[in-house]
Amino acid sequence: MMFWYSHDMNGWGWFAMLISMVVFWALIITVGVLIYRASTRSAPSGTGPTGWHRTSPPGSPEQVLADRYARGEIDDEEYHRRLNTLRGSSPGTPPSS
């Protein structure tokens, strides 16, 4: 009478248990990897995706001017003229790097 309702597991039960175990360990490993990557990520260094380095802080007038030049809104001559004006040098001198 003890095993009247057949409490042992059939083939589908084993399959469901196997799938749930694989999903469980994949979830644990994914969380571990995400925590590791978040903890070892270095602070932003100000380099863009192509490796160029900003010489002025984001949002500064020089950076806005450089962004406009990069988008092609202003030409080379106008960029250097405005950059010299921002830096306070005379229009005939080349910008300091």
Side-chain angles (χ1 to χ4, degrees):
M1 276 319 243
M2 194 163 132
F3 296 106
W4 190 358
Y5 295 109
S6 182
H7 292 290
D8 53 341
M9 206 178 308
N10 62 10
W12 288 110
W14 286 105
F15 180 72
M17 187 172 62
L18 174 71
I19 294 299
S20 63
M21 185 177 64
V22 169
V23 169
F24 171 77
W25 284 111
L27 181 66
I28 295 295
I29 291 170
T30 301
V31 168
V33 167
L34 290 175
I35 290 172
Y36 174 75
R37 287 181 61 187
S39 67
T40 59
R41 183 178 301 169
S42 62
S45 61
T47 58
T50 57
W52 58 275
H53 182 71
R54 293 180 184 218
T55 57
S56 58
S60 70
E62 289 182 5
Q63 186 59 44
V64 171
L65 183 63
D67 290 342
R68 288 187 63 200
Y69 178 66
R71 286 192 301 264
E73 294 177 9
I74 57 176
D75 62 351
D76 191 44
E77 181 183 334
E78 185 175 359
Y79 170 73
H80 288 296
R81 183 176 52 82
R82 290 183 182 211
L83 187 63
N84 286 333
T85 303
L86 284 174
R87 291 184 176 168
S89 58
S90 63
T93 60
S96 58
S97 297

